[in-house]
Amino acid sequence: MHKKMMFSFPDEVLEHVFSFIQSDKDRNSVSMVCKSWYEIERWCRRKVFVGNCYSVSPRMVIRRFPEFRSIELKGKPHFADFNLVPDGWGGYVFPWIAEMAGAFPWLEEIKLKRMVVTDESLELIAKSFKNFKVLVLSSCEGFSTDGLAAIAASCKNLKELDLRDCEVDDLSGHWLSHFPDTVSLVSLNISCLGSDEVSFSALERLVGRCTNLRTLRLNRAVPLDKIANILRRAPHLVEFGTGTYAADLRPDVYSDLAGAFSSCKELKSLSGFWDLVPAYLPAIYPACSKLTSLNLSYATIQSPDLIKLLSQCPNLQRLLVLDYIEDSGLEALASTCKDLQELRVFPSDPFGAEPNVSLTERGLVAVSSGCPKLQSVLYFCRRMSNEALVTIAKNCPNFTRFRLCIIEPRTADYLTLEPLDVGFGAIVQYCKDLQRLSLSGLLTDRVFEYIGTYAKKLEMLSVAFAGDSDLGLHHVLSGCESLRKLEIRDCPFGDKALLANAAKLDTMRSLWMSSCAVSFGACKLLGQKMPRLNVEVIDERGPPDSRPESCPVDKLYIYRTVAGPRFDMPPFVWTMEDDPSLQLS
Amino acid sequence: MEGSVAYDNDLNLKATELRLGLPGTHDERQEQQQKQPVSNVRNNKRPSGESYGQNEAAPPPKAQIVGWPPIRSYRKNNSQPKKTDTEGGGIYIKVSMDGAPYLRKIDLQVYSGYPELLQAVENMFKFNIGEYSEREGYKGSDYAPTYEDKDGDWMLVGDVPWEMFITSCKRLRIMKGSEARGLGCGV
């Protein structure tokens, strides 16, 4: 009797239940329970996430989810951030916009990461979606302020415009004046724009009329003395990014600024601070006790000033900072900021041969010891020891993200001169929930054995200048059950491990290998055997078949897809062909 | 599908190994696990032959590795005041070609003169530029390389001395057809 009742829920009830399920993964699971759940779920999915824009075609997405309102797409592989993916590789959003423009005019949100977005695409968005509300472009390129002007002018219901870390072509600062009087932005992030790209008066007017503005991140061009006026027009800001934080010290400017910051009683997050002049730093002190997030990674201030500032921020959860903070600053951080969850320390002089600051493993050990909630770390330094890593691992079993970059490749344990295998081994052994790991320093195949054995929840692994042989790669591919993204550069990994673990690649989003030892022949074989993978060879030296098959390819990008090979490749990318006669059932 | 295979560690990968090292240096770290006094290690040189005291010559200047350390380009100049148009010392400009659906970026400082630059651009976009003459521009091809200078004007590449060019060039565009021919004559 009960069983019968369960299967006779009307669709509307199921739909209502599903509406509480927001996570993409959960929605995917729901859709696999049975055919009727698949049907109901696909009609009521409102947010679609596509982690690799080439894994599926726009048409397929639209066909399966006819009523979505929000789409998130990611394009280029992560290593594109470090110039390893040649310009022109791909990741064009236009075909997606074109398909969606035709299919549904009621689209509200578009979020893109590492994609090429042209002015034409932006203009099409502006023209096609009458209720468009949210545009988030993260690390995108290819557009200019003309495209932004089109969005501003036509999207009357725009709530969020976020251009984080984009490369925008400067043409005119007046695109901001294209926003109509009625627009009511909640979030505006223009921090990536260059010096000619913003008109201050237009900005002030815009901020003044957006009474619901909660997030405002300015670009470097906005001078210090303009901030007070802007802040006074937006007293309910929760997140604020300054422009250049430098000026000659003038008491009137200082007190104006301090007054403006104290009038913003809801500020939780601050960023910007380019060229920061320490004398102006106390102006933000009134806001410090409520701050949960602070991004000082563009501020070239020294440790004593940082320590003074951080001592005012007991509720800090997230800190981004340059290595000027030094070990002493991190020790102070560890004693004041007990709620710290995320720490990122960037190098101030990444290309210098000698260290310019006293930042070593000691600082990270101190934070790991003093901050029990620490979960996410990105740390650039110049020396490390196994002993330190083991201590850190034991102190922080809750790590979910651990990215360590020892600046000089293949640097050994500075105390014992041994590889850092044991140290990273401790990280994966103690941090059972680790999802993301980046390795550096001197590492042998042994570290990969540890990773394959212990890192069962690891989803993303970044490897550079490490390992001795294919065994290393084999350990990772055969052991890491949750692995989705693997990116490798300059490692002696070749054909054997890749071919032996070909089936694993079907379960992952993508694999990147550059400056390794994978031969063209192996790439061809992989492409032939695996119909659901696109095996892309990226080689600017010329066609790979102009060299012997045993020659290693320069760069290799493999990803699973149901859309087949793509057709927008530049001349230096080749997709290996399927061969049905070689495929395994 | 091949199951787990017994691996021997004797794969001679050195033959195909892609290493970053100057020709002639040999990475000996795996064969020499000798302990060194701590003071010797307090340097940032890679453990190549030099640090084992076998080579008395001064180590060659460190070549910058592409994409390492892994930081975004907008973070690279954090220890200096704001510099526009430079990224760790290079002069990066965008190169586009009429009809090509992609842009390239190049570092002008890498080239020593026009012939090298034009050769590189020809290779990038797979076309031929033709012969340059001051009077007639680029003859023998449908394409002409042009650039936008600091004043926003479009000029033919090659008209000004190289040093002046690299400091004033904002971007490069390979023009096609009549537009190109128009620029070439009587400038």
Side-chain angles (χ1 to χ4, degrees):
Chain A
M1 268 273 280
H2 289 291
K3 213 162 148 184
K4 203 161 175 224
M5 277 188 68
M6 225 169 69
F7 283 90
S8 65
F9 273 172
D11 289 358
E12 303 85 67
V13 173
L14 280 174
E15 213 181 289
H16 182 70
V17 171
F18 293 169
S19 69
F20 293 101
I21 301 173
Q22 301 288 348
S23 126
D24 216 61
K25 272 191 195 158
D26 291 342
R27 282 237 158 206
N28 289 343
S29 305
V30 159
S31 68
M32 300 218 289
V33 166
C34 62
K35 282 201 181 123
S36 68
W37 280 35
Y38 176 92
E39 274 304 306
I40 297 167
E41 194 281 319
R42 78 181 187 92
W43 279 95
C44 68
R45 189 177 301 209
R46 295 283 174 264
K47 284 188 177 187
V48 170
F49 170 76
V50 180
N52 172 6
C53 64
Y54 290 119
S55 63
V56 66
S57 74
R59 199 161 291 180
M60 286 168 156
V61 173
I62 292 172
R63 210 167 47 212
R64 179 173 170 190
F65 302 113
E67 302 250 325
F68 67 86
R69 298 277 181 280
S70 158
I71 186 160
E72 183 176 346
L73 296 170
K74 297 188 180 181
K76 301 184 203 175
H78 172 241
F79 272 173
D81 283 356
F82 316 125
N83 298 323
L84 287 179
V85 179
D87 280 343
W89 170 83
Y92 306 102
V93 78
F94 187 79
W96 288 84
I97 311 289
E99 284 284 348
M100 294 189 295
F104 19 117
W106 49 80
L107 189 69
E108 291 177 2
E109 280 188 17
I110 296 176
K111 300 183 181 180
L112 306 175
K113 188 166 188 181
R114 283 190 212 101
M115 295 197 75
V116 178
V117 181
T118 55
D119 282 346
E120 205 186 4
S121 306
L122 292 176
E123 282 151 18
L124 191 52
I125 292 173
K127 232 178 18 189
S128 317
F129 307 119
K130 290 307 157 205
N131 200 26
F132 196 67
K133 293 197 173 114
V134 173
L135 184 63
V136 177
L137 302 179
S138 174
S139 305
C140 296
E141 51 160 357
F143 60 102
S144 77
T145 45
D146 281 354
L148 295 177
I151 296 282
S154 305
C155 301
K156 313 236 177 290
N157 290 316
L158 197 66
K159 295 277 167 271
E160 241 183 88
L161 179 61
D162 185 339
L163 307 172
R164 57 184 81 157
D165 305 332
C166 289
E167 264 186 56
V168 184
D169 238 345
D170 55 68
L171 293 177
S172 146
H174 294 284
W175 65 275
L176 275 173
S177 355
H178 289 252
F179 279 112
D181 289 336
T182 50
V183 77
S184 188
L185 293 174
V186 172
S187 169
L188 179 63
N189 179 351
I190 52 171
S191 53
C192 63
L193 296 187
S195 51
D196 301 326
E197 290 156 28
V198 164
S199 147
F200 303 137
S201 50
L203 181 60
E204 272 177 36
R205 281 196 308 274
L206 179 63
V207 172
R209 22 185 225 281
C210 294
T211 50
N212 289 327
L213 198 63
R214 294 291 173 269
T215 298
L216 177 63
R217 305 231 190 247
L218 303 173
N219 62 327
R220 194 175 185 173
V222 179
L224 189 66
D225 55 8
K226 297 269 184 226
I227 291 182
N229 276 345
I230 289 175
L231 281 178
R232 270 188 236 287
R233 284 168 166 77
H236 298 292
L237 276 184
V238 175
E239 300 181 322
F240 180 62
T242 74
T244 239
Y245 206 77
D248 297 330
L249 190 53
R250 281 167 41 201
D252 54 331
V253 172
Y254 179 89
S255 56
D256 210 17
L257 190 60
F261 270 110
S262 17
S263 68
C264 291
K265 308 251 180 253
E266 294 165 66
L267 273 180
K268 288 225 173 96
S269 162
L270 287 178
S271 62
F273 300 112
W274 283 279
D275 320 306
L276 186 149
V277 159
Y280 275 106
L281 206 44
I284 70 167
Y285 284 179
C288 284
S289 61
K290 295 209 193 75
L291 283 187
T292 55
S293 168
L294 191 50
N295 183 351
L296 294 166
S297 61
Y298 301 108
T300 54
I301 53 164
Q302 306 299 318
S303 187
D305 293 308
L306 277 167
I307 294 177
K308 242 193 291 180
L309 174 61
L310 292 171
S311 65
Q312 317 256 342
C313 307
N315 291 312
L316 209 56
Q317 293 171 13
R318 187 169 184 260
L319 177 66
L320 280 68
V321 75
L322 285 172
D323 57 7
Y324 289 127
I325 194 173
E326 299 192 320
D327 290 336
S328 54
L330 290 175
E331 279 153 20
L333 178 70
S335 57
T336 11
C337 302
K338 294 304 186 185
D339 276 351
L340 197 70
Q341 294 173 18
E342 181 178 348
L343 174 68
R344 298 192 189 207
V345 180
F346 295 97
S348 53
D349 185 20
F351 303 110
E354 299 297 324
N356 61 324
V357 291
S358 176
L359 180 105
T360 68
E361 80 286 359
R362 276 181 33 226
L364 188 55
V365 172
V367 178
S368 74
S369 161
C371 303
K373 299 190 190 166
L374 193 64
Q375 272 186 11
S376 170
V377 166
L378 171 61
Y379 198 76
F380 284 82
C381 61
R382 286 190 151 88
R383 77 173 198 204
M384 188 49 63
S385 67
N386 283 309
E387 188 186 321
L389 282 172
V390 172
T391 306
I392 291 166
K394 289 181 174 167
N395 285 339
C396 293
N398 295 326
F399 271 162
T400 51
R401 281 177 281 275
F402 187 72
R403 296 156 71 189
L404 179 67
C405 179
I406 304 166
I407 288 177
E408 181 66 31
R410 302 197 188 91
T411 301
D413 176 328
Y414 79 98
L415 292 170
T416 63
L417 294 193
E418 283 172 0
L420 290 169
D421 300 336
V422 166
F424 279 105
I427 295 281
V428 292
Q429 196 182 339
Y430 287 97
C431 307
K432 301 198 192 304
D433 293 327
L434 197 67
Q435 288 170 14
R436 184 167 178 186
L437 177 64
S438 299
L439 304 172
S440 60
L442 182 64
L443 297 165
T444 71
D445 284 345
R446 229 174 127 208
V447 73
F448 299 109
E449 197 180 336
Y450 289 133
I451 292 173
T453 306
Y454 293 109
K456 295 304 180 187
K457 300 250 177 83
L458 192 67
E459 297 182 11
M460 181 170 178
L461 179 64
S462 308
V463 185
F465 306 103
D468 308 311
S469 74
D470 270 62
L471 202 50
L473 181 57
H474 175 69
H475 284 310
V476 171
L477 289 177
S478 57
C480 296
E481 292 161 5
S482 311
L483 196 64
R484 291 188 300 115
K485 290 180 278 183
L486 180 57
E487 47 185 24
I488 302 172
R489 61 163 298 174
D490 295 279
C491 296
F493 301 146
D495 300 344
K496 276 192 172 183
L498 202 52
L499 292 174
N501 291 282
K504 173 73 173 175
L505 299 175
D506 261 348
T507 70
M508 291 167 54
R509 182 187 295 174
S510 64
L511 167 65
W512 169 278
M513 291 178 75
S514 56
S515 305
C516 296
V518 180
S519 72
F520 179 52
C523 295
K524 283 208 300 196
L525 193 56
L526 206 54
Q528 285 162 359
K529 272 168 57 166
M530 310 293 295
R532 285 191 307 258
L533 294 181
N534 275 355
V535 177
E536 291 189 10
V537 169
I538 302 165
D539 209 321
E540 292 178 280
R541 297 172 296 179
D545 54 19
S546 63
R547 289 179 290 276
E549 272 202 9
S550 56
C551 228
V553 299
D554 184 26
K555 298 171 183 175
L556 177 60
Y557 185 50
I558 302 174
Y559 54 90
R560 66 177 175 186
T561 179
V562 293
R566 59 185 177 110
F567 299 107
D568 59 358
M569 298 179 301
F572 50 86
V573 177
W574 294 266
T575 302
M576 305 293 103
E577 281 172 17
D578 296 338
D579 182 351
S581 65
L582 277 187
Q583 279 151 28
L584 308 164
S585 54
Chain B
M1 191 72 57
E2 299 162 69
S4 61
V5 177
Y7 283 88
D8 58 315
N9 285 354
D10 295 324
L11 301 169
N12 180 15
L13 288 171
K14 285 218 158 57
T16 54
E17 187 183 275
L18 298 179
R19 293 182 299 124
L20 284 161
L22 298 164
T25 62
H26 179 62
D27 197 338
E28 294 178 7
R29 69 174 189 284
Q30 287 171 320
E31 285 124 73
Q32 297 182 11
Q33 289 284 345
Q34 306 154 9
K35 295 231 188 261
Q36 299 266 310
V38 178
S39 57
N40 265 17
V41 188
R42 202 219 145 277
N43 61 35
N44 290 317
K45 298 191 178 58
R46 291 170 48 212
S48 64
E50 287 112 34
S51 56
Y52 286 80
Q54 290 169 15
N55 191 338
E56 292 305 327
K62 229 160 60 121
Q64 223 176 76
I65 303 169
V66 173
W68 192 267
I71 47 175
R72 308 287 304 274
S73 40
Y74 55 77
R75 290 197 180 280
K76 280 181 186 170
N77 282 325
N78 274 324
S79 52
Q80 294 120 31
K82 173 188 175 192
K83 273 191 213 165
T84 48
D85 302 327
T86 59
E87 235 178 74
I91 302 178
Y92 285 85
I93 55 149
K94 288 188 181 162
V95 186
S96 64
M97 176 158 112
D98 290 354
Y102 56 94
L103 289 180
R104 303 303 302 275
K105 248 195 278 200
I106 57 175
D107 176 3
L108 287 179
Q109 283 193 339
V110 157
Y111 308 103
S112 53
Y114 286 118
E116 240 195 324
L117 169 67
L118 294 175
Q119 178 74 49
V121 169
E122 280 184 323
N123 286 341
M124 246 178 247
F125 290 95
K126 310 275 177 278
F127 73 106
N128 283 315
I129 260 177
E131 296 228 354
Y132 175 71
S133 78
E134 254 190 66
R135 247 182 327 118
E136 293 180 354
Y138 288 84
K139 269 180 60 174
S141 126
D142 256 353
Y143 295 97
T146 66
Y147 71 99
E148 187 185 4
D149 73 2
K150 283 204 164 111
D151 302 321
D153 298 322
W154 285 93
M155 318 269 286
L156 194 64
V157 168
D159 280 349
V160 304
W162 175 253
E163 294 305 326
M164 191 188 296
F165 167 72
I166 57 176
T167 53
S168 63
C169 172
K170 270 174 59 174
R171 76 179 99 190
L172 216 55
R173 177 182 156 202
I174 315 296
M175 275 187 198
K176 193 179 173 169
S178 52
E179 248 190 301
R181 286 190 277 282
L183 259 187
C185 306
V187 168

